[in-house]
Amino acid sequence: MTLVEMGIPAVRAGLPSLDGRPDTPFLVDRFGRVARDLRVSITEKCSLRCTYCMPEEGLPQIPRAERLTVAEIVRLISLAVRELGVREVRFTGGDPLMRRDLEQIIAGCHERLPDTPLAMTTNGVGLEHRAKGLAEAGLNRVNVSLDTIDRAAFAMLTRRDRRDSVLAGIRAARLAGLAPIKVNAVLMRQTLSGATDLLGWCIAEDCRLRFIEEMPLDAGREWARASMVTAAELLDVLGTRFTLTAIERSDPTSPDETWLVDGGPATVGIIASVTRNFCADCDRTRLTAEGRLRSCLFSDEEFDLRDAMRGGASDDELATIWRASMWQKWAGHGINAADFVPPQRTMGAIGG
Ligand code: SAM
Ligand code: SF4
């Protein structure tokens, strides 16, 4: 199987132009944005098969030798924080819990960067048994993806009957002190009517729920702008049971809009990535499991750090590649344009 058949784009050869780039160590782009938030995908493997993300058979496996090692991940993250101005690091995938050496990755980063917040986005399957160890290794926060609390609907959407493991994982994370726990739910038509139950459950369990509009990053290529569930539809559904009051955004780079639920203190967030996109304030830079830099979820233009690193590149040389990659970042995703073409990689192969 070729890389293109695997949904992995060709890496761009040579260093892109740095023409016009200001003389700054930070990860700036041509549109005045500065990347401070690093998302690191550490595996393509996953214990679930969410229909809006993965193919039923899972993603083609990345050969072990092509995946970044613990030492390589720790080196690149340290470089991003110390030299490039990254302030927050989030591990994602696939599912980060699929890597048995996740605790070593976290511990390595925490040891070198004790003041940098380390977070993880996970589906929560198996978290019950690892939350305590991860917290001890230095993990600070966890976002757990849970689209519905209805067991049958969960099994249908994820193609796996693992809801109970996720709920146990959320509770274990709270006990381990990984609070505040955020719950992410992708807005899907099959689970929309259960949105009020999910919000009620999250409030009772002291979790902060955020709904996310589905983006065209599914392996089945079934996403359609005309039929996706919008933030506006969700607000109507939630309004049948709760009184929602919009809160003004305090952090412009935060993608979610927040509402107080029944006067507070509970809140609910909505990340309206499609209908109210926040590209103008995007502060993200991404590293894939094979060590490629990807500045935008929707751009297939990737730059390799792994081979450069394995070929003996110095930290300065790696930093130059990273800065150059960010200088090429697109203005926005263009989902709403008539000529929009989804990227080759699906969400599970990028890391959300
Ligand atoms: N497996 C982990 C999980 O599900 O949390 C981490 C990886 S997953 C790709 C990261 C986030 O992307 C999850 O919150 C997931 O719900 C979200 N996601 C996946 N596919 C999506 C899509 N097509 N549109 C919007 N969000 C999506
Ligand atoms: Fe796996 Fe997360 Fe994709 Fe679901 S969203 S299939 S849990 S990577």
Side-chain angles (χ1 to χ4, degrees), residues 177-236:
L178 292 169
I181 295 171
K182 289 185 185 169
V183 168
N184 292 342
V186 177
L187 277 173
M188 298 297 286
R189 203 144 297 282
Q190 305 96 301
T191 45
L192 183 59
S193 62
T196 49
D197 286 347
L198 179 62
L199 179 54
W201 186 87
C202 286
I203 293 171
E205 294 287 331
D206 201 17
C207 295
R208 170 131 199 265
L209 176 61
R210 300 174 321 157
F211 289 95
I212 307 170
E213 282 181 347
E214 187 197 7
M215 293 183 279
L217 293 167
D218 56 314
R221 301 289 190 224
E222 279 169 11
W223 180 92
R225 178 71 179 81
S227 56
M228 61 166 278
V229 180
T230 62
E233 267 184 274
L234 171 73
L235 286 170
D236 284 346

Coordinates of all heavy atoms in Angstrom, one line a residue, residues 177-236:
G177 N -7.5 13.5 40.0 CA -7.2 14.9 40.1 C -7.0 15.6 38.7 O -6.5 16.7 38.7
L178 N -7.4 14.9 37.7 CA -7.2 15.5 36.3 C -8.4 16.4 36.0 O -9.0 16.3 34.9 CB -7.1 14.3 35.3 CG -5.9 13.5 35.4 CD1 -5.9 12.2 34.6 CD2 -4.6 14.3 35.0
A179 N -8.7 17.2 36.9 CA -9.9 18.1 36.7 C -9.4 19.5 36.3 O -8.3 19.9 36.6 CB -10.7 18.2 38.0
P180 N -10.2 20.3 35.7 CA -11.6 20.1 35.3 C -11.6 19.2 34.1 O -10.9 19.4 33.1 CB -12.2 21.4 35.0 CG -11.0 22.2 34.5 CD -9.8 21.7 35.3
I181 N -12.5 18.2 34.1 CA -12.6 17.3 32.9 C -13.6 17.9 31.9 O -14.7 18.3 32.2 CB -13.1 15.9 33.4 CG1 -12.1 15.3 34.3 CG2 -13.4 15.0 32.2 CD1 -12.5 14.0 35.0
K182 N -13.1 17.9 30.7 CA -14.0 18.4 29.6 C -14.4 17.2 28.8 O -13.7 16.2 28.6 CB -13.2 19.3 28.7 CG -12.9 20.7 29.3 CD -12.3 21.6 28.3 CE -11.9 22.9 28.9 NZ -11.0 23.7 28.0
V183 N -15.7 17.2 28.5 CA -16.2 16.1 27.6 C -16.5 16.7 26.2 O -17.1 17.8 26.1 CB -17.5 15.6 28.2 CG1 -18.3 14.7 27.3 CG2 -17.2 14.8 29.5
N184 N -16.0 16.1 25.2 CA -16.3 16.5 23.8 C -17.3 15.7 23.2 O -17.2 14.4 23.2 CB -15.0 16.4 23.0 CG -13.9 17.4 23.4 OD1 -14.1 18.3 24.1 ND2 -12.7 17.1 23.0
A185 N -18.3 16.3 22.5 CA -19.3 15.5 21.8 C -19.5 16.0 20.4 O -19.7 17.2 20.2 CB -20.7 15.6 22.6
V186 N -19.3 15.2 19.4 CA -19.5 15.6 18.0 C -21.0 15.6 17.7 O -21.7 14.6 18.1 CB -18.7 14.7 17.1 CG1 -19.0 15.1 15.6 CG2 -17.2 14.7 17.3
L187 N -21.4 16.6 17.1 CA -22.9 16.8 16.8 C -23.3 15.9 15.6 O -22.8 16.1 14.5 CB -23.2 18.2 16.5 CG -23.4 19.1 17.6 CD1 -23.6 20.6 17.2 CD2 -24.6 18.7 18.4
M188 N -24.0 14.8 15.9 CA -24.5 13.9 14.9 C -26.0 13.8 15.0 O -26.6 13.9 16.0 CB -23.8 12.5 15.1 CG -22.3 12.5 15.0 SD -21.7 13.0 13.4 CE -22.0 11.6 12.4
R189 N -26.6 13.6 13.8 CA -28.1 13.5 13.8 C -28.6 12.4 14.6 O -29.6 12.5 15.3 CB -28.6 13.4 12.3 CG -30.0 13.9 12.2 CD -30.3 14.6 10.9 NE -29.5 15.9 10.6 CZ -29.9 17.0 11.1 NH1 -30.8 17.2 12.0 NH2 -29.2 18.1 10.8
Q190 N -27.9 11.2 14.7 CA -28.4 10.1 15.4 C -28.4 10.3 16.9 O -29.1 9.6 17.6 CB -27.5 8.8 15.2 CG -27.2 8.4 13.8 CD -25.9 9.0 13.3 OE1 -25.8 10.2 13.3 NE2 -25.0 8.2 12.8
T191 N -27.6 11.2 17.4 CA -27.5 11.4 18.9 C -28.1 12.8 19.3 O -28.1 13.1 20.5 CB -26.1 11.3 19.3 OG1 -25.2 12.0 18.4 CG2 -25.6 9.8 19.3
L192 N -28.6 13.6 18.4 CA -29.0 14.9 18.7 C -30.1 14.9 19.8 O -30.1 15.7 20.7 CB -29.5 15.6 17.4 CG -30.0 17.1 17.6 CD1 -28.8 17.9 18.1 CD2 -30.5 17.7 16.3
S193 N -31.1 14.0 19.7 CA -32.2 14.0 20.7 C -31.7 13.6 22.1 O -32.3 13.9 23.1 CB -33.3 13.0 20.2 OG -32.7 11.7 20.2
G194 N -30.5 13.0 22.1 CA -29.9 12.6 23.5 C -29.0 13.7 24.0 O -28.4 13.5 25.1
A195 N -29.0 14.9 23.4 CA -28.0 15.9 23.8 C -28.4 16.4 25.2 O -27.5 16.8 26.0 CB -28.0 17.1 22.8
T196 N -29.7 16.5 25.5 CA -30.1 17.0 26.8 C -29.7 16.0 27.9 O -29.3 16.5 29.0 CB -31.6 17.3 26.9 OG1 -32.3 16.2 26.4 CG2 -32.0 18.5 26.0
D197 N -29.9 14.7 27.7 CA -29.4 13.7 28.7 C -27.9 13.8 28.9 O -27.5 13.7 30.0 CB -29.8 12.3 28.2 CG -31.3 12.1 28.3 OD1 -32.0 12.9 29.0 OD2 -31.8 11.1 27.8
L198 N -27.2 14.0 27.8 CA -25.7 14.1 27.9 C -25.4 15.3 28.8 O -24.5 15.2 29.7 CB -25.1 14.1 26.6 CG -23.6 14.3 26.5 CD1 -22.9 13.0 27.2 CD2 -23.1 14.4 25.1
L199 N -26.0 16.4 28.5 CA -25.7 17.6 29.3 C -26.1 17.4 30.8 O -25.3 17.7 31.7 CB -26.4 18.8 28.7 CG -26.2 20.2 29.5 CD1 -24.7 20.5 29.6 CD2 -26.9 21.3 28.8
G200 N -27.2 16.8 31.0 CA -27.6 16.5 32.4 C -26.6 15.6 33.1 O -26.3 15.9 34.3
W201 N -26.2 14.6 32.4 CA -25.2 13.7 33.0 C -23.9 14.4 33.3 O -23.3 14.3 34.4 CB -24.9 12.5 32.1 CG -24.0 11.5 32.6 CD1 -24.4 10.4 33.4 CD2 -22.6 11.4 32.6 NE1 -23.3 9.7 33.8 CE2 -22.2 10.3 33.3 CE3 -21.6 12.2 31.9 CZ2 -20.8 9.9 33.4 CZ3 -20.3 11.8 32.0 CH2 -19.9 10.7 32.8
C202 N -23.4 15.2 32.4 CA -22.1 16.0 32.6 C -22.2 16.9 33.8 O -21.3 17.1 34.6 CB -21.7 16.7 31.3 SG -21.1 15.6 30.0
I203 N -23.4 17.6 33.9 CA -23.5 18.5 35.0 C -23.5 17.7 36.3 O -22.8 18.1 37.3 CB -24.9 19.3 34.9 CG1 -24.8 20.3 33.7 CG2 -25.2 20.1 36.2 CD1 -26.1 21.0 33.3
A204 N -24.2 16.6 36.4 CA -24.2 15.8 37.6 C -22.8 15.2 37.9 O -22.5 15.1 39.1 CB -25.2 14.6 37.4
E205 N -22.0 15.0 36.9 CA -20.7 14.4 37.1 C -19.6 15.5 37.2 O -18.4 15.2 37.1 CB -20.3 13.4 36.0 CG -21.2 12.2 36.0 CD -20.9 11.2 37.1 OE1 -19.7 11.2 37.5 OE2 -21.8 10.5 37.5
D206 N -20.0 16.8 37.2 CA -19.1 17.9 37.3 C -18.1 17.9 36.1 O -16.9 18.2 36.3 CB -18.3 17.8 38.6 CG -17.7 19.1 39.0 OD1 -18.2 20.1 38.5 OD2 -16.8 19.1 39.9
C207 N -18.6 17.6 34.9 CA -17.7 17.7 33.7 C -18.2 18.9 32.9 O -19.4 19.2 32.9 CB -17.9 16.4 32.9 SG -17.3 15.0 33.7
R208 N -17.3 19.5 32.2 CA -17.7 20.6 31.3 C -17.9 20.1 29.9 O -16.9 19.6 29.2 CB -16.5 21.6 31.4 CG -16.7 22.6 30.4 CD -16.5 24.1 30.9 NE -17.1 24.8 29.8 CZ -16.5 25.4 28.8 NH1 -15.2 25.3 28.8 NH2 -17.1 26.0 27.8
L209 N -19.1 20.1 29.4 CA -19.5 19.5 28.1 C -19.3 20.6 27.0 O -19.7 21.7 27.2 CB -20.9 19.0 28.1 CG -21.5 18.5 26.8 CD1 -20.7 17.3 26.3 CD2 -23.0 18.2 27.0
R210 N -18.7 20.1 25.9 CA -18.6 21.0 24.7 C -19.0 20.2 23.5 O -18.5 19.1 23.3 CB -17.1 21.5 24.5 CG -16.7 22.3 25.7 CD -15.2 22.6 25.6 NE -14.4 21.6 25.0 CZ -13.2 21.9 24.5 NH1 -12.8 23.1 24.4 NH2 -12.5 20.9 24.0
F211 N -19.9 20.7 22.7 CA -20.4 20.1 21.5 C -19.5 20.6 20.4 O -19.2 21.8 20.4 CB -21.8 20.4 21.2 CG -22.8 19.6 22.2 CD1 -23.3 20.3 23.3 CD2 -23.2 18.3 21.9 CE1 -24.1 19.6 24.2 CE2 -24.0 17.7 22.8 CZ -24.5 18.3 23.9
I212 N -19.2 19.8 19.4 CA -18.4 20.2 18.3 C -19.1 19.9 17.0 O -19.6 18.8 16.8 CB -17.1 19.3 18.2 CG1 -16.3 19.4 19.6 CG2 -16.1 19.8 17.1 CD1 -15.2 18.4 19.7
E213 N -19.2 20.9 16.1 CA -19.8 20.6 14.8 C -19.0 19.6 14.0 O -17.7 19.7 14.0 CB -20.0 21.9 14.0 CG -21.1 22.7 14.5 CD -21.3 24.0 13.7 OE1 -20.4 24.4 12.9 OE2 -22.3 24.7 13.8
E214 N -19.6 18.7 13.4 CA -18.9 17.7 12.6 C -18.2 18.3 11.4 O -18.8 19.1 10.7 CB -19.8 16.6 12.1 CG -19.1 15.4 11.4 CD -19.9 14.5 10.6 OE1 -21.1 14.8 10.3 OE2 -19.4 13.5 10.1
M215 N -16.9 18.0 11.2 CA -16.2 18.5 10.1 C -15.9 17.4 9.0 O -16.0 16.2 9.3 CB -14.8 19.1 10.6 CG -15.0 20.3 11.4 SD -13.4 21.0 11.9 CE -12.9 19.9 13.3
P216 N -15.7 17.8 7.8 CA -15.5 16.9 6.7 C -14.2 16.1 6.8 O -13.3 16.3 5.9 CB -15.6 17.7 5.4 CG -15.3 19.1 5.8 CD -15.6 19.2 7.3
L217 N -14.0 15.4 7.9 CA -12.7 14.7 8.1 C -13.0 13.2 8.4 O -12.2 12.5 9.1 CB -12.0 15.3 9.3 CG -11.5 16.7 9.0 CD1 -11.0 17.4 10.3 CD2 -10.3 16.7 8.1
D218 N -14.2 12.7 8.0 CA -14.6 11.3 8.2 C -14.0 10.5 7.1 O -13.9 10.9 5.9 CB -16.1 11.2 8.2 CG -16.8 11.8 6.9 OD1 -16.4 12.9 6.5 OD2 -17.6 11.1 6.3
A219 N -13.7 9.2 7.5 CA -13.1 8.3 6.5 C -14.1 7.9 5.4 O -13.7 7.6 4.3 CB -12.6 7.0 7.2
G220 N -15.4 7.9 5.8 CA -16.4 7.5 4.8 C -16.7 8.5 3.8 O -17.5 8.3 2.8
R221 N -16.2 9.7 3.9 CA -16.5 10.9 3.1 C -18.0 11.1 2.9 O -18.5 11.3 1.8 CB -15.9 10.7 1.7 CG -14.4 10.5 1.7 CD -13.7 11.8 2.0 NE -12.2 11.8 1.8 CZ -11.3 12.3 2.6 NH1 -11.7 12.9 3.8 NH2 -10.1 12.3 2.4
E222 N -18.7 10.9 4.0 CA -20.2 11.1 4.0 C -20.7 12.4 4.4 O -21.8 12.8 4.3 CB -20.8 10.0 4.8 CG -20.9 8.7 4.0 CD -21.2 7.5 4.8 OE1 -21.7 7.7 6.0 OE2 -21.1 6.4 4.3
W223 N -19.8 13.2 5.0 CA -20.1 14.5 5.5 C -20.8 15.4 4.4 O -20.3 15.4 3.3 CB -18.9 15.2 6.1 CG -19.1 16.6 6.6 CD1 -19.4 16.9 7.9 CD2 -19.1 17.8 5.9 NE1 -19.5 18.2 8.1 CE2 -19.4 18.9 6.9 CE3 -18.9 18.2 4.6 CZ2 -19.4 20.2 6.5 CZ3 -19.0 19.5 4.2 CH2 -19.2 20.5 5.2
A224 N -21.8 16.1 4.8 CA -22.4 17.0 3.8 C -22.9 18.2 4.5 O -23.5 18.2 5.6 CB -23.6 16.3 3.1
R225 N -22.5 19.4 4.0 CA -22.8 20.6 4.6 C -24.3 20.8 4.8 O -24.7 21.3 5.8 CB -22.2 21.8 3.7 CG -22.5 23.2 4.1 CD -21.6 23.5 5.4 NE -21.9 24.8 5.8 CZ -22.9 25.2 6.6 NH1 -23.8 24.4 7.0 NH2 -23.0 26.5 7.0
A226 N -25.1 20.3 3.8 CA -26.5 20.5 3.9 C -27.2 19.7 5.0 O -28.2 20.1 5.6 CB -27.2 20.2 2.6
S227 N -26.6 18.6 5.4 CA -27.3 17.7 6.4 C -26.6 17.7 7.7 O -27.1 17.1 8.7 CB -27.4 16.3 5.8 OG -26.1 15.8 5.5
M228 N -25.5 18.3 7.9 CA -24.8 18.3 9.2 C -25.6 19.0 10.3 O -26.4 19.9 9.9 CB -23.4 18.9 9.1 CG -23.5 20.4 8.7 SD -22.0 21.3 9.0 CE -22.1 21.7 10.7
V229 N -25.4 18.6 11.5 CA -26.1 19.3 12.6 C -25.4 20.5 13.0 O -24.2 20.5 13.2 CB -26.2 18.4 13.9 CG1 -27.0 19.1 15.0 CG2 -26.9 17.0 13.5
T230 N -26.1 21.7 13.0 CA -25.5 22.9 13.3 C -25.6 23.3 14.7 O -26.5 22.8 15.4 CB -26.1 24.1 12.4 OG1 -27.4 24.2 12.8 CG2 -25.9 23.8 10.9
A231 N -24.8 24.3 15.2 CA -24.8 24.8 16.5 C -26.2 25.3 16.8 O -26.8 25.2 17.9 CB -23.8 25.9 16.7
A232 N -26.8 26.0 15.8 CA -28.1 26.6 16.0 C -29.2 25.5 16.3 O -30.1 25.7 17.2 CB -28.5 27.4 14.7
E233 N -29.1 24.4 15.6 CA -30.1 23.3 15.9 C -29.9 22.8 17.3 O -30.9 22.5 18.0 CB -29.8 22.1 14.9 CG -30.6 22.2 13.6 CD -30.3 20.9 12.8 OE1 -29.3 21.0 12.0 OE2 -31.0 19.9 12.9
L234 N -28.6 22.6 17.7 CA -28.4 22.1 19.0 C -29.0 23.0 20.1 O -29.6 22.6 21.0 CB -26.9 21.9 19.2 CG -26.5 21.6 20.7 CD1 -26.9 20.2 21.0 CD2 -25.0 21.9 21.0
L235 N -28.8 24.3 19.9 CA -29.3 25.3 20.9 C -30.8 25.1 21.0 O -31.3 25.2 22.1 CB -28.9 26.7 20.5 CG -27.4 27.1 20.7 CD1 -27.1 28.4 20.1 CD2 -27.1 27.1 22.2
D236 N -31.5 24.9 19.9 CA -33.0 24.7 20.0 C -33.3 23.4 20.8 O -34.2 23.5 21.7 CB -33.5 24.5 18.6 CG -33.6 25.8 17.8 OD1 -33.5 26.8 18.5 OD2 -33.8 25.8 16.6

